[in-house]
Amino acid sequence: MAPAKKGILERLDAGEVVIGDGGFVFALEKRGYVKAGPWTPEAAAEHPEAVRQLHREFLRAGANVMQTFTFYASDDKLENRGNKLTFTGAQINEAACDLAREVANEGDALVAGGVCQTPSYLSCKSETDVKSILKKQLDVFIKKDVDFLIAEYFEHVEEAVWAVEVLKATGKPVAASMCIGPEGDMHGVSPGDCAVRLVKAGAQIVGVNCHFDPMTCVKAVKMMKEGVEKAGLKAHYMVQPLAYHTPDCSCQGFIDLPEFPFGLEPRILSRWDMHQYAREAYKAGIFFIGGCCGFEPYHIRAVAEELAPERGFLPAASEKHGNWGAGLEMHTKPWVRARARRDYWENLKPASGRPLCPSMSAPDGWGVTKGHTDLMQQKEATSEDQLKELFDRSKTH
């Protein structure tokens, strides 16, 4: 019988680096298994082979957390704005748990069951209603005995606290990750205050994910850490940012960028950028380091390679990747062989090949958040009249 794996808190308490996986929603949308717009995870039940393969690639790249592909798998989101249900929320969540566990058992990985913000909260439903929605997912996670729980992608700390309170009742370790930057949540609550509220609610791991680039997210988590320590509390810290450069983002993050979601490729971080991100996160005292939208397995491999000295090993995927481009020593062309060195890639300023494109964009600043009419939940598809009003309004912003 195989020895029991160390749990998430046992690993972090020992000072180990824990590497998360990447952005399943964006990665599977590009592969043709997720629809942009609803961003819901039916693929766990519809195309399990695609989800399993992506888990396996992240595991091979060095991730030792397999997060269930349950982003936006709450019943209210699955039925929002004309999205047609082919599977129930319970079926999707169960399939996602089984896939994550299957691949986690192929290595020294843990399974994290994830919940995220709900349309019900944005529609001003009650605390009881929102917690009821989250608990439906949680019941599956308990049935499937995930190793720990993550409340991720919350724009409002109030809802994140509600989620933590629901997850904490299980007795399993709880991580809470907000999609905020240094400006704080959508009501202006600072990262430090957000973290304090989450820790007091019962989260043992706090941090940020999505919406902003790695260095911005690391800065936000540093602010969280400062707030928690100032309050005399203790926590572990996590960061799972975008794989896109977002220096021009406002409080809402990359969703406000005009390139979202189909024109973001010129902003993608290189594998060498990921080395810098991993090192900065580790230096900041963040030991749960992963990725969100835009992160592909090669990005996670770069994180694992940068932190190999601390972890004591390289990921399996490094068998096919020379350290800092060393594999280029075998290239046919001499000028490419000359690039087989760290200083070349660390100092490269990559061109986009788009001479008429700007380096930054002007974000859409509509100022729409919880309670606004446009965010109210509806099961019916968005009507032509609703779309026309939005198209007309977009011309004035």
Side-chain angles (χ1 to χ4, degrees):
M1 184 176 178
K5 295 177 183 178
K6 290 191 290 185
I8 185 67
L9 295 180
E10 188 178 359
R11 297 179 192 213
L12 293 172
D13 286 343
E16 294 182 22
V17 174
V18 173
I19 295 183
D21 54 17
F24 272 63
V25 173
F26 268 42
L28 289 170
E29 190 278 330
K30 289 181 172 66
R31 290 160 169 79
Y33 298 104
V34 166
K35 179 180 284 188
W39 303 109
T40 46
E42 295 93 333
E46 287 179 335
H47 299 286
E49 73 287 350
V51 178
R52 181 186 297 109
Q53 178 62 23
L54 191 54
H55 275 306
R56 193 165 280 147
E57 289 179 24
F58 281 121
L59 180 73
R60 179 174 167 78
N64 53 358
V65 171
M66 299 291 106
Q67 194 165 330
T68 58
F69 183 41
T70 51
F71 180 81
Y72 275 161
S74 60
D75 285 348
D76 58 343
K77 179 62 177 176
L78 290 169
E79 299 176 348
N80 203 34
R81 293 200 173 272
N83 195 34
K84 302 298 183 184
L85 276 179
T86 52
F87 294 90
T88 66
Q91 288 174 320
I92 294 168
N93 282 283
E94 288 194 15
C97 288
D98 289 342
L99 291 167
R101 177 62 70 192
E102 176 187 346
V103 177
N105 286 345
E106 296 174 6
D108 185 33
L110 302 173
V111 174
V115 301
C116 63
Q117 68 179 7
T118 64
S120 290
Y121 180 81
L122 296 177
S123 299
C124 297
K125 296 289 182 67
S126 69
E127 177 180 349
T128 299
D129 288 340
V130 172
K131 285 184 172 180
S132 177
I133 288 287
L134 295 170
K135 190 174 184 304
K136 285 185 179 181
Q137 282 187 268
L138 185 62
D139 289 342
V140 174
F141 297 150
I142 297 307
K143 175 184 175 181
K144 294 296 184 177
D145 195 26
V146 300
D147 297 306
F148 69 104
L149 300 162
I150 299 180
E152 70 164 4
Y153 196 79
F154 286 87
E155 297 174 305
H156 303 85
V157 69
E158 180 181 55
E159 187 184 17
V161 166
W162 294 352
V164 169
E165 289 171 349
V166 171
L167 302 187
K168 187 64 180 174
T170 67
K172 289 184 178 290
V174 175
S177 183
M178 298 188 66
C179 51
I180 63 173
E183 294 180 47
D185 84 345
M186 293 304 295
H187 285 116
V189 181
S190 71
D193 287 344
C194 285
V196 168
R197 290 175 63 174
L198 293 169
V199 172
K200 286 183 175 179
Q204 294 116 320
I205 308 164
V206 294
V208 299
N209 76 292
C210 206
H211 275 208
F212 297 93
D213 62 44
M215 293 311 176
T216 302
C217 287
V218 168
K219 180 179 179 181
V221 179
K222 283 182 180 180
M223 295 170 72
M224 285 184 156
K225 188 170 184 286
E226 290 168 2
V228 169
E229 291 173 351
K230 185 177 180 181
L233 301 171
K234 290 184 178 181
H236 296 290
Y237 300 92
M238 66 183 297
V239 61
Q240 301 204 103
L242 298 174
Y244 303 108
H245 292 283
T246 62
D248 40 356
C249 277
S250 56
C251 181
Q252 183 75 60
F254 80 142
I255 294 174
D256 273 3
L257 293 175
E259 299 95 335
F260 176 87
F262 300 129
L264 290 165
E265 283 80 2
R267 294 173 175 266
I268 200 79
L269 274 78
S270 73
R271 64 194 69 195
W272 316 117
D273 294 326
M274 293 301 175
H275 278 262
Q276 183 184 8
Y277 151 58
R279 183 54 54 193
E280 289 302 312
Y282 183 81
K283 284 166 53 179
I286 305 166
F287 290 169
F288 186 157
I289 304 169
C292 199
C293 298
F295 265 75
E296 292 282 348
Y298 76 93
H299 289 125
I300 293 299
R301 180 180 63 187
V303 171
E305 288 179 342
E306 175 62 30
L307 297 175
E310 287 76 16
R311 300 179 86 202
F313 61 92
L314 285 165
S318 293
E319 296 170 6
K320 299 293 185 181
H321 188 243
N323 191 34
W324 289 101
L328 298 180
E329 296 170 359
M330 303 167 70
H331 201 278
T332 305
K333 303 298 189 291
W335 58 90
V336 178
R337 292 199 297 274
R339 298 171 189 162
R341 64 187 197 276
R342 177 171 182 161
D343 65 307
Y344 177 87
W345 295 110
E346 274 193 319
N347 296 310
L348 181 69
K349 299 292 186 290
S352 70
R354 297 172 179 266
L356 301 181
C357 289
S359 60
M360 293 195 285
S361 298
D364 291 326
W366 284 30
V368 173
T369 189
K370 180 197 175 187
H372 193 283
T373 302
D374 293 335
L375 288 181
M376 292 298 173
Q377 175 185 338
Q378 64 179 58
K379 288 189 177 182
E380 304 77 24
T382 306
S383 68
E384 289 187 13
D385 287 343
Q386 287 174 322
L387 284 173
K388 183 179 184 303
E389 192 276 330
L390 293 175
F391 294 158
D392 291 342
R393 199 191 317 170
S394 71
K395 297 174 185 176
T396 67
H397 284 275

